[in-house]
Amino acid sequence: MKKNILIVEDNENTLNALQKEIQKYEGIGAFIASNYRDAIKLLRKERNNIHFAIIDLTLPDANEKQIVALTNSHHLPSIIFTGTSDAKMRDLVFNKEVIDYVLKENRKSVAYAIKRAYQFLKQHQRTLLIVDDSQLYRMAIKNAIAPLSITVMEAENGAEALKMIQNEANNISIAITDFNMPVMDGMELTMKIRALYNRDEFAVIAASTMDDREIIKKFLKIGINDFIFKPFENDEVLVKVQSALEVLDLFQETKDLANKDFLTGAYNRRYFFDVGDAIFAKNKRKKLPIAVAMIDIDHFKRINDIYGHDAGDFALKTVIEVLKDSLRKSDLFARFGGEEFALLLEEITCEDVQKVLEKIRSTFEAQRIVFDDATFSYTVSIGLAFGNFKTLEEALNLSDRALYQAKNNGRNQTVLNQSPNHPHGINVRLMSSEAGCVKEVF
């Protein structure tokens, strides 16, 4: 789900810089208000679609207290983007009325403000599990981390917690666990968590009393990320949870640098082969067909030449949005380089994959891209290989040949190249306006 930031800023240059910085991040957008009155209108209309705010305090129609009170009244986490720093700013953060403030100094300030918002939104998607047999302590921890706006779940013992963690639908990535609990204590729970996840995948914070320092040493040996002593201060819990989340994000960013394309955020060629080979091997053992497609933007060079490379980069990012909206979560896609993308789909029929690709092709044909002052459109050509293949490379080669055929046929179409190992035993061409598997040998 796309996350949107409300930007309240009356300086046009600053506003443009913030908007351009947002475009660098996958999955976030912006609503713009140049004054207090417009901010009120947007929050009334789009409240369910706004998840964060970056606010200027010097607005033409409101004072600093009014704009902060507005975002707080909508329970909207906010960053102040300001030209001055004084005790008032620090008090707002200390009193948890805003999560941070950033000084308007240079381009780096803009980059930091958006990155801070992005990190907060990513953390909000995580779930924290509090494991303690004391309802009083669970409530105390929950209140302490309330400013993070993170999803919180609770368990009374380690056994209950483990079941919740093993349920992937809960999306739990951090736990605060007490030591002394019935059924399963925190030590055993931590050991079982570490059998499932490394410290860079799942954070564990142990909680114990000051008298249990030896217990903390044992916890550290089996792989906790941090610890807190009971009784605790709210700020201590908040800081340690926030630090653990930031470390998890840092590890994820490191993995993304290796596995994802920097520009679009899509998986890269290396990741496609690493994961694709495993998917291919599984389906080959079961003797099930797979679908591999190559998608290429038509006349991409013209976009760069006419509208500039920034517009070309933006066009590439729209490919990712269309693919995410059109494909299943289990489908694999990656940017192979330039304007070319690869797809791998399993557990799908020949007819259904063609319907999916036709939907993708027609979406590109119909959409209009708005970038800065320019409005333009583009189409894509698609080559599809479907069937039982000897190797993933064979499937990619066949889909690449089909893509070449689509380009030669006039672009803006899908061509199917069926595997010679498929039961039908023939190659098939599918034009974009046709339905079903057309039996035309080429």
Side-chain angles (χ1 to χ4, degrees):
M1 177 183 173
K2 191 172 185 178
K3 301 291 184 180
N4 293 301
I5 301 171
L6 171 65
I7 300 176
V8 187
E9 173 61 61
D10 63 335
N11 184 287
E12 188 174 346
N13 291 332
T14 302
L15 184 58
N16 290 336
L18 288 166
Q19 286 180 290
K20 284 189 176 182
E21 192 65 28
I22 282 177
Q23 292 173 2
K24 296 179 182 179
Y25 290 87
E26 177 189 0
I28 61 172
F31 287 103
I32 306 302
S34 59
N35 54 56
Y36 180 71
R37 182 178 296 178
D38 287 347
I40 292 175
K41 290 179 181 178
L42 273 172
L43 284 170
R44 285 175 179 169
K45 183 180 178 182
E46 301 288 351
R47 178 62 191 95
N48 293 333
N49 297 317
I50 297 175
H51 309 90
F52 197 89
I54 296 177
I55 54 178
D56 182 17
L57 297 186
T58 56
L59 297 173
D61 57 347
N63 59 43
E64 58 190 46
K65 290 183 179 180
Q66 287 176 298
I67 187 63
V68 172
L70 177 65
T71 54
N72 281 340
S73 68
H74 286 79
H75 306 290
L76 202 60
S78 306
I79 287 177
I80 295 172
F81 199 47
T82 179
T84 59
S85 173
D86 54 29
K88 290 180 182 179
M89 300 297 118
R90 293 188 289 274
D91 287 343
L92 286 169
V93 176
F94 184 77
N95 294 328
K96 300 181 177 61
E97 294 182 62
V98 297
I99 67 166
D100 204 350
Y101 71 92
V102 179
L103 292 178
K104 296 178 182 178
E105 294 178 328
N106 49 41
R107 186 77 188 185
K108 289 183 179 180
S109 302
V110 171
Y112 177 77
I114 299 302
K115 184 176 182 180
R116 185 78 173 86
Y118 179 70
Q119 287 175 335
F120 185 93
L121 291 171
K122 281 183 68 178
Q123 290 175 4
H124 182 64
Q125 294 173 349
R126 296 184 183 274
T127 300
L128 181 146
L129 178 62
I130 303 171
V131 192
D132 200 310
D133 58 333
S134 167
Q135 184 179 5
L136 184 64
Y137 268 114
R138 294 201 306 271
M139 182 59 67
I141 293 173
K142 196 171 181 178
N143 290 337
I145 62 175
L148 292 177
S149 299
I150 189 173
T151 302
V152 176
M153 300 182 75
E154 300 178 40
E156 294 183 357
N157 58 67
E160 182 184 346
L162 187 61
K163 288 181 182 179
M164 296 169 71
I165 291 168
Q166 289 173 327
N167 184 349
E168 293 185 1
N170 289 330
N171 193 33
I172 299 170
S173 57
I174 179 171
I176 300 177
T177 180
D178 188 29
F179 169 56
N180 286 309
M181 294 182 294
V183 187
M184 180 190 294
D185 65 24
M187 192 80 68
E188 186 178 353
L189 172 62
T190 302
M191 292 174 68
K192 290 187 180 297
I193 290 174
R194 285 293 163 253
L196 297 171
Y197 301 102
N198 295 324
R199 290 205 302 178
D200 61 345
E201 299 171 312
F202 193 107
V204 179
I205 299 175
S208 188
T209 65
M210 290 289 288
D211 297 332
D212 289 334
R213 289 183 177 273
E214 289 301 318
I215 295 297
I216 293 297
K217 290 180 183 178
K218 291 180 181 179
F219 264 120
L220 288 168
K221 286 181 180 179
I222 61 174
I224 63 169
N225 297 70
D226 210 335
F227 62 89
I228 53 177
F229 286 119
K230 295 180 177 180
F232 49 75
E233 295 288 337
N234 282 3
D235 286 349
E236 177 191 6
V237 179
L238 182 63
V239 168
K240 293 202 172 188
V241 170
Q242 194 161 19
S243 296
L245 290 170
E246 288 174 356
V247 169
L248 288 178
D249 287 342
L250 183 59
F251 277 120
Q252 186 59 53
E253 287 176 12
T254 303
K255 291 177 184 177
D256 288 347
L257 286 173
N259 296 324
K260 289 190 175 182
D261 169 56
F262 176 77
L263 175 63
T264 64
Y267 288 116
N268 57 26
R269 188 186 188 102
R270 170 185 169 180
Y271 184 88
F272 184 90
F273 279 106
D274 286 346
V275 176
D277 281 337
I279 295 173
F280 177 84
K282 178 187 71 175
N283 284 274
K284 188 175 182 180
R285 287 194 303 271
K286 296 180 179 180
K287 297 182 180 180
L288 296 174
I290 62 166
V292 175
M294 297 296 293
I295 298 179
D296 189 271
I297 298 177
D298 296 327
H299 302 299
F300 181 69
K301 187 175 182 297
R302 290 183 187 175
I303 298 174
N304 285 330
D305 290 346
I306 297 173
Y307 303 103
H309 287 277
D310 286 346
D313 290 347
F314 188 70
L316 290 170
K317 293 175 185 178
T318 65
V319 174
I320 307 306
E321 296 300 323
V322 172
L323 294 181
K324 282 184 176 180
D325 290 341
S326 305
L327 298 173
R328 303 167 298 182
K329 286 186 178 180
S330 59
D331 297 331
L332 175 66
F333 69 89
R335 184 185 179 198
F336 258 37
E339 63 272 25
E340 196 171 56
F341 298 80
L343 283 63
L344 193 162
L345 295 80
E346 60 178 335
E347 298 180 5
I348 193 167
T349 65
C350 174
E351 289 76 12
D352 284 345
V353 73
Q354 290 175 70
K355 290 177 183 177
V356 170
L357 294 180
E358 172 57 16
K359 176 187 174 184
I360 291 171
R361 185 207 62 79
S362 62
T363 298
F364 282 113
E365 185 179 43
Q367 77 174 351
R368 295 294 178 267
I369 308 298
V370 178
F371 182 81
D372 287 344
D373 296 330
T375 300
F376 60 92
S377 61
Y378 63 86
T379 60
V380 298
S381 297
I382 306 174
L384 168 64
F386 182 88
N388 304 88
F389 307 96
K390 294 178 182 177
T391 63
L392 180 58
E393 286 78 5
E394 179 193 35
L396 282 164
N397 287 336
L398 287 171
S399 64
D400 200 49
R401 283 168 54 188
L403 174 62
Y404 182 78
Q405 188 71 33
K407 293 287 188 182
N408 282 346
N409 288 349
R411 296 180 171 83
N412 189 26
Q413 59 188 258
T414 302
V415 169
L416 168 66
N417 198 356
Q418 216 159 310
S419 164
N421 302 315
H422 191 270
H424 293 310
I426 58 172
N427 291 329
V428 176
R429 174 186 300 151
L430 171 73
M431 302 302 292
S432 61
S433 60
E434 297 174 291
C437 290
V438 182
K439 304 300 189 294
E440 182 181 349
V441 179
F442 67 92

